[in-house]
Every structure is written in C-alpha cells, then in structure tokens.
Amino acid sequence: MLALKYILMLVAVLSIAVTLIMMGYHLWLVIQFRRKLVRGLDGATPLEPGRLEPRPLRWRFFVGMTAIGCVSLFIANSIVVVASGMGGVRVSQTRGTLPGTLYSGVHFVTPLVEQLQTFDLRDKLFTTGMVEDGAKVSVTSRPDSLDVQSKEGLNMGLAITVRYRLDPRRLDYIQLHLPQPVESEIVPPAVASAWRELAPNYTVREIFSTRREEVRQRAAAVITKKLSGDGVIVEEVMLRNIQLPPEYAKGLEDLLLKEQQDDRLTVQTDIQQKEVRIAELEAEAEAARKVKQAEGDAKARVMEAKGEADAMQFTLPLKEKQIEQSRLEAQARKEATIKNAEAEGEAKIIDSKAEFQRRNLLADAEANRIRVTAAADAERMQGEAKLLNQAPLLINKIIAERLSDKIQVMMVPGDGKFFFANDVFKGLGANASVKEDVNPQAEGSHGHSR
C-alpha cells in the first residue's frame, strides 16, 4: 500500500509536469507567431504561407492530464501510514479531533479535510539527576535533582526515574484536551508535585533508609493516580539516589561509623561466647566419654565375675558328685569287710558288732566331713592361688579394702618388692602347699584304716 501511494504521487507529479511543459511550449509558439506576424506587417520579413497561424491548443489533453495528476495526488494524500510503535488520531478541519486510535499500519483519511496526528506509544523515561550511559529508551531528563523538603525542614535532592507510556485508547483525549507535548508539559509537573507533597510527611532518615520503600510506593501511587486521568500509564517509579544536606550527611556518616563499630564489637562478643560454649561442650563430651568408658569397664568386670560364678555353679555339683561316689565306694568296701568278718567268725563278732558298726559309722562321718572340708579348702586355695597368679595386684586391693577405715590412700610399688604384706602372703602360700601335701596323706591313712 505504501508503494501504491508513492506510485500515485509519482504519476501525479509526472502528469502535472508534462501538462505544464506542453502548455509552456504552446505558449512559446504563440509568442513566436505573434512576433513574426508583427514583422511581416512592417514589411521587414515576408510571411510564408501556411505558417501564419500556430497549432491549435489541445485543451482536452491538458485537462485530462491535469485530472489524472490531481486524482492521483488526491488518492495518494488519502493514504496515511502509522509507523511501528506509534499511534495516531484523525483531526478534521470541520469536526475537530475524531474519536478512535489508528494503530501501526496503513489507513485512509479524507484528503484536504482530515490530517493525521501521531503519538509515540513506546515507553518513555522521565529522569531527574544524572542519567546512566547507554540508555536506549527515549528519555526526558532534568540535569538537576528534584529538590524536596523533609519534615525537619531540610532540603534534599532526589534522583528519580519514572517509566511511563501514553494510553493508546485515549489518544483523542490527549490531542483534544492536553497541552503538547505531554512529555514536557504534563509529566514533569505531576511527578514533582507528588514528591513535594509526600516528602514533608517523613524525616530525612526515614526517606533515606528506614522507610525508603514505603515512600517510593506512596509516591508511585500518587503519580499513577494523577497521570492516569490524563491518559498516561505509569509503569514504574524508581528512587535511584538521595542527595542529603552536607551537615546531615556528615553526621550520618559519623553515626554509621559508630554503628559499624558497635556491630563489630557485637560480632566479636558473639564469637567469644561461642568459643566459650564450644569449650564447655568439649569438656562435657570428654566427661561423658570417660563416664561411658568407666561404665563399659564396670560392665566388663561384672560379666567376668558372672562368668566365674557360673563356672563355680557347674564345678561345685561335679565335686559333690565325686564326693558322693567316694562315699558310696567306701560304704561298699565296708559292707564287703563286714560280710567277710561275719563269714570268718560270726560267732566271735556278734557281741561286738554293734559297737564296731557304731565306731565305723562315726569314723566314716568324721572322715567324710574332713574329706569334704579339706577338698573344699583345697579347691578354694587353688582358685585363690590361680587368681593371685593371674592378677597379683588383687593382694594390694584386698589389703587396701581391709585397711580402708584407717588409711585413705595407699601407694604400692608395681613390682611389690617392698610391700609389707609380702612375707605374710608367702607364709600363706607355704601353708597352702603344706595342706595340699597333707591332704593326700590323710586320705591314704583313712583308706588304710578302712
């Protein structure tokens, strides 16, 4: 469609140009004819027959060419093109601004009556203060910061950026009612008014740090409300920087340094407390480990003692069975002897049988008692000897336990060379060995008496 517009404009220009050239040429011929006619009448130059009149003017051709050019130009002027990212409204010479928005593309208007007014629909930036380099969005900026007054009456400079765009549905309203251009006539006063109305409600410290985001959000709400009524859509309001008063900035810097020092001391204190806590936990862990180790050792000892007790439970019945067997054997031999004595001379021993049996029974009972006692003592002494051979330090432990009510600490050399009870235990060991030697002899004599 755009190529058709250019072709029609070219046709119109060529048509009008050809018509003018041909009309000029014909007029030149008429002038030349009149000059020659005047010279012929004066007799200076004879007139040639057939050349007294100029060629007739072709009015139809001229009118046709002019009509083609005008129609082409008329059609070309009725075609308008709205560029990408732009929007337009039709402004009539008779009816004013017409409703509706013409978006990007080709549109038709009434030539000589309507004209197209275009607006940029892309995002724009209104910026105060310094602008960052490399911005590719259209920017309307002020070189200076926006000066506002805080609650304390101090002046501060704000570097703000407002990103906005025109509402494409209200371009007719913008063209009809608002001063042009909107970017410089409407947006800057509305933004400055909103910030200057809002800043006196806050202190410098609140605007700078504690309530900065709240101030920005409230300012964005006020700016959006003000500009939305004029067909301007606010996308974002950014508070980029705040220029504090010199005296306040100096005091704030000192305050921040003190706060940093306080934070540093707080962190150091926390670290020291954590180190103390770590040391306490390590000590508690070490104590718990020692307790667990002691409990494990005690349990091991208990298990060993329990094993020894179980072994004794199996050993004692075996010894009792052996003693019972010996008693039965002795009784069998006694009965055999009695029977033999009865066979040899029943008449001789009838009178002394009762006494003899009584003495034998008493002897047997006494022999059995002595034998059981001796066997138990021998077994106990052997067990104690084996235990002392395996753990010599038990002697020290036994002596320490018996003397625990008189002394509190006893230190004994590991080899036991100078321990005062060595001679005593040596004597006990000798007695035990003597008893072991005597016990077989007693058994032999007893058997002989039987």
Side-chain angles (χ1 to χ4, degrees), residues 126 140 164 178-190 227 230:
F126 169 73
T140 303
Y164 65 96
L178 300 182
Q180 303 297 325
V182 177
E183 293 81 359
S184 59
E185 298 294 333
I186 299 298
V187 175
L227 294 180
D230 294 330

Side-chain angles (χ1 to χ4, degrees), residues 282-295:
E282 290 178 352
E284 292 178 358
E286 183 66 20
R289 186 182 64 80
K290 292 181 179 179
V291 170
K292 292 294 183 181
Q293 186 176 1
E295 291 178 355

Side-chain angles (χ1 to χ4, degrees), residues 123-143:
D123 286 355
K124 302 179 182 62
L125 296 179
F126 169 73
T127 303
T128 63
M130 299 300 295
V131 182
E132 291 79 1
D133 296 335
K136 296 183 179 180
V137 187
S138 59
V139 176
T140 303
S141 62
R142 284 181 159 186

Side-chain angles (χ1 to χ4, degrees), residues 34-55:
R34 288 182 178 180
R35 287 180 179 178
K36 291 180 179 180
L37 183 60
V38 172
R39 291 178 182 177
L41 293 176
D42 293 340
T45 304
L47 298 175
E48 297 178 0
R51 299 186 64 180
L52 296 178
E53 297 180 357
R55 296 177 182 179

Side-chain angles (χ1 to χ4, degrees), residues 16-213:
I16 294 174
V18 170
T19 301
L20 293 176
I21 291 172
M22 292 182 69
M23 290 181 66
Y25 177 71
H26 187 76
L27 181 60
W28 181 78
L29 291 177
V30 171
I31 293 173
Q32 292 295 328
F33 173 76
R34 288 182 178 180
R35 287 180 179 178
K36 291 180 179 180
L37 183 60
V38 172
R39 291 178 182 177
L41 293 176
D42 293 340
T45 304
L47 298 175
E48 297 178 0
R51 299 186 64 180
L52 296 178
E53 297 180 357
R55 296 177 182 179
L57 185 62
R58 294 182 292 182
W59 294 104
R60 292 183 179 180
F61 177 76
F62 294 151
V63 172
M65 291 295 292
T66 304
I68 291 174
C70 292
V71 171
S72 300
L73 185 62
F74 185 81
I75 295 175
N77 288 331
S78 66
I79 299 174
V80 293
V81 179
V82 179
S84 177
M86 306 291 289
V89 292
R90 295 173 295 173
V91 181
S92 175
Q93 301 295 331
T94 59
R95 293 181 295 171
T97 302
L98 300 179
T101 300
L102 302 180
Y103 296 94
S104 301
V106 179
H107 304 276
F108 293 93
V109 296
T110 304
L112 304 177
V113 179
E114 298 176 356
Q115 63 180 359
L116 181 67
Q117 181 67 35
T118 59
F119 297 90
D120 190 357
L121 299 180
R122 294 169 292 186
D123 286 355
K124 302 179 182 62
L125 296 179
F126 169 73
T127 303
T128 63
M130 299 300 295
V131 182
E132 291 79 1
D133 296 335
K136 296 183 179 180
V137 187
S138 59
V139 176
T140 303
S141 62
R142 284 181 159 186
D144 299 330
S145 300
L146 177 63
D147 294 331
V148 296
Q149 199 171 42
S150 65
K151 191 173 183 179
E152 304 96 328
L154 298 176
N155 292 325
M156 63 175 61
L158 302 180
I160 61 174
T161 297
V162 179
R163 185 165 66 91
Y164 65 96
R165 60 184 175 86
L166 300 179
D167 189 355
R169 296 172 297 179
R170 303 190 63 187
L171 293 182
D172 50 356
Y173 174 83
I174 295 173
Q175 170 63 26
L176 183 62
H177 296 90
L178 300 182
Q180 303 297 325
V182 177
E183 293 81 359
S184 59
E185 298 294 333
I186 299 298
V187 175
V191 173
S193 175
W195 281 100
R196 286 173 178 150
E197 290 176 0
L198 188 63
N201 297 324
Y202 298 91
T203 62
V204 176
R205 185 177 181 84
E206 291 175 346
I207 297 176
F208 182 74
S209 60
T210 57
R211 304 177 68 180
R212 183 169 182 166
E213 182 61 21

Side-chain angles (χ1 to χ4, degrees), residues 302-317:
V302 170
M303 293 299 294
E304 292 177 357
K306 186 177 181 181
E308 293 177 357
D310 294 337
M312 292 298 292
Q313 289 179 0
F314 289 103
T315 304
L316 290 176

